[in-house]
Amino acid sequence: MIFSEKLLTLRKAKGMTQEELAEKLEVSRQSISKWESGQSVPELEKIVALSTIFGVTTDSLLKSSEIDDLSVKTEMLEKQQQQMLLREQRQHRIWACSLYSIAVYLVFFAICFVEHDLHFSLETDLLGKPFVFAEFLVATAVILVIWVRKLGKRQ
């Protein structure tokens, strides 16, 4: 792989645009484009800066090698796999939170049902509508706490 291909591959592996890389190097986007297309080569100080940005040696940037191509592509695949794993874990937490929410509301409705039967069996106005509303608010608060704790985790 030649320098222009390595530069393009490394930039994409970092998820950077030509504009972002140009900004970091204090050059124009057109300069990056020319470097990546092989129309020109950056100055030595820019090559050193590129090696720092991408975390590679200047030697690996300048020397042609097939191993570099494989290692960069492997790094890109690992990054994509990590992103997919994080997305899957977040979806799993959302699913779990949804199930917890349903369970909490089912418990709330069961309590309301028992209270309603108790209310009619005692034939008194012990448990009125404001009490049921307060229980609903407590159930909702419990659900909010569950969602915040579950989705706030970064693993």
Side-chain angles (χ1 to χ4, degrees):
M1 181 187 309
I2 61 174
F3 172 77
S4 58
E5 293 170 337
K6 287 181 186 180
L7 179 59
L8 177 66
T9 305
L10 287 168
R11 179 180 59 78
K12 287 186 176 184
K14 284 277 188 182
M16 297 174 68
T17 64
Q18 286 183 340
E19 291 84 10
E20 291 169 335
L21 182 57
E23 195 175 292
K24 286 186 180 217
L25 293 170
E26 298 177 352
V27 297
S28 67
R29 186 204 55 81
Q30 290 80 6
S31 294
I32 303 296
S33 178
K34 286 181 180 180
W35 298 345
E36 289 180 351
S37 65
Q39 295 175 8
S40 67
V41 179
E43 299 168 356
L44 184 58
E45 68 182 49
K46 300 301 179 191
I47 291 174
V48 172
L50 284 168
S51 72
T52 302
I53 290 170
F54 296 125
V56 297
T57 64
T58 54
D59 212 30
S60 66
L61 268 177
L62 298 173
K63 286 185 178 179
S64 181
S65 171
E66 289 298 316
I67 295 174
D68 289 335
D69 185 27
L70 291 175
S71 64
V72 168
K73 288 181 180 178
T74 301
E75 184 180 323
M76 286 174 57
L77 288 173
E78 288 172 351
K79 184 177 178 182
Q80 289 173 347
Q81 185 179 20
Q82 184 67 22
Q83 289 172 344
M84 287 174 55
L85 179 63
L86 290 173
R87 220 176 4 254
E88 185 178 311
Q89 288 173 343
R90 182 163 176 82
Q91 287 174 345
H92 176 70
R93 288 194 306 264
I94 289 172
W95 179 248
C97 286
S98 299
L99 290 177
Y100 286 134
S101 300
I102 291 169
V104 168
Y105 278 128
L106 285 175
V107 169
F108 163 73
F109 287 122
I111 290 170
C112 288
F113 181 73
V114 169
E115 287 175 351
H116 183 69
D117 281 351
L118 179 65
H119 172 70
F120 282 119
S121 67
L122 295 177
E123 294 184 20
T124 61
D125 195 14
L126 293 174
L127 305 171
K129 289 182 183 175
F131 192 71
V132 171
F133 182 70
E135 289 173 337
F136 176 77
L137 288 178
V138 169
T140 303
V142 167
I143 288 170
L144 288 174
V145 168
I146 290 170
W147 278 81
V148 167
R149 291 186 74 186
K150 281 281 191 187
L151 294 181
K153 289 182 182 177
R154 300 248 180 211
Q155 296 174 344

Short mmCIF file of all heavy atoms in Angstrom, two decimals, residues 89-101 142-155:
data_model
loop_
_atom_site.label_atom_id
_atom_site.label_comp_id
_atom_site.label_asym_id
_atom_site.label_seq_id
_atom_site.Cartn_x
_atom_site.Cartn_y
_atom_site.Cartn_z
N GLN A 89 -26.07 -3.82 23.27
CA GLN A 89 -26.22 -3.73 24.72
C GLN A 89 -27.25 -2.67 25.09
O GLN A 89 -28.06 -2.88 25.99
CB GLN A 89 -24.88 -3.40 25.37
CG GLN A 89 -23.90 -4.55 25.36
CD GLN A 89 -22.52 -4.14 25.86
OE1 GLN A 89 -22.19 -2.97 25.94
NE2 GLN A 89 -21.72 -5.14 26.18
N ARG A 90 -27.25 -1.55 24.40
CA ARG A 90 -28.22 -0.49 24.67
C ARG A 90 -29.63 -0.97 24.34
O ARG A 90 -30.57 -0.73 25.10
CB ARG A 90 -27.88 0.77 23.87
CG ARG A 90 -28.85 1.90 24.16
CD ARG A 90 -28.30 3.23 23.71
NE ARG A 90 -29.23 4.30 23.88
CZ ARG A 90 -29.43 4.95 25.02
NH1 ARG A 90 -28.72 4.62 26.08
NH2 ARG A 90 -30.30 5.93 25.09
N GLN A 91 -29.79 -1.66 23.23
CA GLN A 91 -31.11 -2.20 22.88
C GLN A 91 -31.58 -3.20 23.93
O GLN A 91 -32.76 -3.23 24.29
CB GLN A 91 -31.07 -2.85 21.50
CG GLN A 91 -30.97 -1.86 20.37
CD GLN A 91 -30.77 -2.53 19.02
OE1 GLN A 91 -30.44 -3.72 18.94
NE2 GLN A 91 -30.96 -1.78 17.96
N HIS A 92 -30.66 -4.00 24.44
CA HIS A 92 -31.01 -4.98 25.47
C HIS A 92 -31.47 -4.25 26.75
O HIS A 92 -32.44 -4.65 27.39
CB HIS A 92 -29.82 -5.88 25.78
CG HIS A 92 -30.07 -6.85 26.89
ND1 HIS A 92 -30.93 -7.92 26.76
CD2 HIS A 92 -29.59 -6.90 28.15
CE1 HIS A 92 -30.96 -8.58 27.91
NE2 HIS A 92 -30.15 -7.98 28.76
N ARG A 93 -30.77 -3.18 27.13
CA ARG A 93 -31.16 -2.42 28.32
C ARG A 93 -32.53 -1.76 28.13
O ARG A 93 -33.33 -1.72 29.06
CB ARG A 93 -30.10 -1.38 28.66
CG ARG A 93 -28.83 -2.00 29.22
CD ARG A 93 -27.90 -0.99 29.87
NE ARG A 93 -27.55 0.12 29.03
CZ ARG A 93 -26.44 0.20 28.31
NH1 ARG A 93 -25.57 -0.79 28.33
NH2 ARG A 93 -26.18 1.26 27.57
N ILE A 94 -32.80 -1.26 26.92
CA ILE A 94 -34.11 -0.66 26.65
C ILE A 94 -35.20 -1.71 26.76
O ILE A 94 -36.26 -1.47 27.35
CB ILE A 94 -34.13 0.02 25.26
CG1 ILE A 94 -33.27 1.28 25.30
CG2 ILE A 94 -35.54 0.34 24.81
CD1 ILE A 94 -33.04 1.93 23.95
N TRP A 95 -34.95 -2.89 26.23
CA TRP A 95 -35.92 -3.98 26.31
C TRP A 95 -36.17 -4.36 27.78
O TRP A 95 -37.30 -4.54 28.20
CB TRP A 95 -35.42 -5.18 25.51
CG TRP A 95 -36.32 -6.37 25.55
CD1 TRP A 95 -36.06 -7.56 26.13
CD2 TRP A 95 -37.62 -6.50 24.98
NE1 TRP A 95 -37.11 -8.42 25.97
CE2 TRP A 95 -38.09 -7.79 25.27
CE3 TRP A 95 -38.44 -5.64 24.26
CZ2 TRP A 95 -39.34 -8.25 24.87
CZ3 TRP A 95 -39.70 -6.10 23.86
CH2 TRP A 95 -40.13 -7.39 24.16
N ALA A 96 -35.11 -4.48 28.55
CA ALA A 96 -35.25 -4.81 29.98
C ALA A 96 -36.03 -3.73 30.71
O ALA A 96 -36.91 -4.03 31.53
CB ALA A 96 -33.86 -5.00 30.61
N CYS A 97 -35.74 -2.48 30.41
CA CYS A 97 -36.47 -1.37 31.06
C CYS A 97 -37.95 -1.42 30.71
O CYS A 97 -38.80 -1.16 31.56
CB CYS A 97 -35.90 -0.02 30.63
SG CYS A 97 -34.31 0.36 31.39
N SER A 98 -38.26 -1.76 29.48
CA SER A 98 -39.66 -1.87 29.07
C SER A 98 -40.36 -2.97 29.86
O SER A 98 -41.50 -2.78 30.32
CB SER A 98 -39.76 -2.17 27.57
OG SER A 98 -39.18 -1.12 26.82
N LEU A 99 -39.69 -4.10 30.01
CA LEU A 99 -40.30 -5.20 30.78
C LEU A 99 -40.47 -4.82 32.26
O LEU A 99 -41.50 -5.12 32.87
CB LEU A 99 -39.45 -6.46 30.66
CG LEU A 99 -39.46 -7.11 29.27
CD1 LEU A 99 -38.53 -8.32 29.25
CD2 LEU A 99 -40.85 -7.53 28.86
N TYR A 100 -39.47 -4.15 32.84
CA TYR A 100 -39.59 -3.68 34.22
C TYR A 100 -40.76 -2.70 34.35
O TYR A 100 -41.51 -2.73 35.34
CB TYR A 100 -38.30 -3.00 34.70
CG TYR A 100 -37.17 -3.94 35.00
CD1 TYR A 100 -35.89 -3.69 34.53
CD2 TYR A 100 -37.36 -5.09 35.76
CE1 TYR A 100 -34.83 -4.54 34.80
CE2 TYR A 100 -36.30 -5.95 36.04
CZ TYR A 100 -35.06 -5.67 35.56
OH TYR A 100 -34.01 -6.51 35.83
N SER A 101 -40.93 -1.83 33.38
CA SER A 101 -42.01 -0.85 33.41
C SER A 101 -43.37 -1.56 33.41
O SER A 101 -44.26 -1.20 34.19
CB SER A 101 -41.93 0.09 32.20
OG SER A 101 -40.72 0.78 32.19
N VAL A 142 -40.80 5.14 40.19
CA VAL A 142 -39.99 3.92 40.24
C VAL A 142 -39.51 3.55 38.84
O VAL A 142 -38.34 3.21 38.62
CB VAL A 142 -40.79 2.76 40.88
CG1 VAL A 142 -40.09 1.42 40.67
CG2 VAL A 142 -41.01 3.02 42.36
N ILE A 143 -40.40 3.65 37.87
CA ILE A 143 -40.05 3.33 36.48
C ILE A 143 -38.98 4.29 35.96
O ILE A 143 -38.01 3.87 35.31
CB ILE A 143 -41.30 3.34 35.59
CG1 ILE A 143 -42.16 2.12 35.93
CG2 ILE A 143 -40.93 3.35 34.11
CD1 ILE A 143 -43.52 2.13 35.30
N LEU A 144 -39.13 5.57 36.26
CA LEU A 144 -38.14 6.55 35.81
C LEU A 144 -36.76 6.25 36.42
O LEU A 144 -35.74 6.35 35.73
CB LEU A 144 -38.58 7.97 36.16
CG LEU A 144 -39.73 8.51 35.33
CD1 LEU A 144 -40.18 9.86 35.86
CD2 LEU A 144 -39.35 8.61 33.86
N VAL A 145 -36.73 5.88 37.67
CA VAL A 145 -35.46 5.54 38.32
C VAL A 145 -34.83 4.33 37.63
O VAL A 145 -33.63 4.30 37.36
CB VAL A 145 -35.66 5.28 39.84
CG1 VAL A 145 -34.44 4.64 40.46
CG2 VAL A 145 -36.02 6.57 40.55
N ILE A 146 -35.64 3.33 37.33
CA ILE A 146 -35.14 2.13 36.64
C ILE A 146 -34.53 2.52 35.29
O ILE A 146 -33.41 2.11 34.95
CB ILE A 146 -36.26 1.09 36.45
CG1 ILE A 146 -36.65 0.47 37.80
CG2 ILE A 146 -35.84 0.00 35.46
CD1 ILE A 146 -37.90 -0.38 37.76
N TRP A 147 -35.24 3.33 34.51
CA TRP A 147 -34.75 3.73 33.19
C TRP A 147 -33.45 4.52 33.30
O TRP A 147 -32.50 4.28 32.53
CB TRP A 147 -35.81 4.55 32.44
CG TRP A 147 -36.83 3.69 31.78
CD1 TRP A 147 -37.92 3.11 32.36
CD2 TRP A 147 -36.87 3.29 30.41
NE1 TRP A 147 -38.63 2.38 31.44
CE2 TRP A 147 -38.01 2.48 30.22
CE3 TRP A 147 -36.05 3.54 29.31
CZ2 TRP A 147 -38.34 1.92 29.00
CZ3 TRP A 147 -36.40 2.99 28.09
CH2 TRP A 147 -37.53 2.18 27.93
N VAL A 148 -33.40 5.45 34.23
CA VAL A 148 -32.19 6.27 34.36
C VAL A 148 -31.01 5.43 34.79
O VAL A 148 -29.90 5.56 34.23
CB VAL A 148 -32.43 7.43 35.37
CG1 VAL A 148 -31.13 8.10 35.76
CG2 VAL A 148 -33.41 8.44 34.79
N ARG A 149 -31.22 4.52 35.72
CA ARG A 149 -30.10 3.69 36.19
C ARG A 149 -29.64 2.71 35.12
O ARG A 149 -28.45 2.48 34.94
CB ARG A 149 -30.49 2.95 37.46
CG ARG A 149 -30.63 3.93 38.64
CD ARG A 149 -30.86 3.24 39.92
NE ARG A 149 -29.60 2.63 40.34
CZ ARG A 149 -29.48 1.85 41.38
NH1 ARG A 149 -30.54 1.58 42.12
NH2 ARG A 149 -28.33 1.32 41.71
N LYS A 150 -30.59 2.10 34.41
CA LYS A 150 -30.23 1.12 33.38
C LYS A 150 -29.58 1.75 32.16
O LYS A 150 -28.61 1.26 31.62
CB LYS A 150 -31.46 0.34 32.92
CG LYS A 150 -31.90 -0.75 33.86
CD LYS A 150 -31.03 -1.96 33.67
CE LYS A 150 -31.60 -3.13 34.40
NZ LYS A 150 -30.71 -4.26 34.37
N LEU A 151 -30.15 2.88 31.70
CA LEU A 151 -29.63 3.49 30.49
C LEU A 151 -28.45 4.40 30.76
O LEU A 151 -27.73 4.78 29.84
CB LEU A 151 -30.74 4.28 29.77
CG LEU A 151 -31.87 3.40 29.23
CD1 LEU A 151 -32.90 4.26 28.52
CD2 LEU A 151 -31.37 2.32 28.30
N GLY A 152 -28.24 4.75 32.02
CA GLY A 152 -27.11 5.59 32.37
C GLY A 152 -25.80 4.81 32.40
O GLY A 152 -24.72 5.39 32.36
N LYS A 153 -25.87 3.49 32.44
CA LYS A 153 -24.67 2.65 32.48
C LYS A 153 -23.95 2.68 31.15
O LYS A 153 -24.56 2.52 30.11
CB LYS A 153 -25.02 1.20 32.81
CG LYS A 153 -25.46 0.99 34.23
CD LYS A 153 -25.75 -0.48 34.46
CE LYS A 153 -26.25 -0.72 35.86
NZ LYS A 153 -26.59 -2.12 36.06
N ARG A 154 -22.67 2.86 31.19
CA ARG A 154 -21.83 2.80 29.98
C ARG A 154 -20.87 1.65 30.18
O ARG A 154 -19.97 1.71 30.98
CB ARG A 154 -21.06 4.09 29.78
CG ARG A 154 -21.94 5.28 29.62
CD ARG A 154 -21.81 5.78 28.24
NE ARG A 154 -22.68 6.94 28.12
CZ ARG A 154 -23.26 7.25 27.01
NH1 ARG A 154 -23.11 6.53 25.96
NH2 ARG A 154 -24.03 8.30 26.94
N GLN A 155 -21.07 0.59 29.42
CA GLN A 155 -20.20 -0.57 29.59
C GLN A 155 -19.32 -0.76 28.40
O GLN A 155 -19.60 -0.45 27.32
CB GLN A 155 -21.05 -1.83 29.80
CG GLN A 155 -21.84 -1.74 31.08
CD GLN A 155 -22.79 -2.91 31.25
OE1 GLN A 155 -23.08 -3.63 30.30
NE2 GLN A 155 -23.28 -3.08 32.43
#
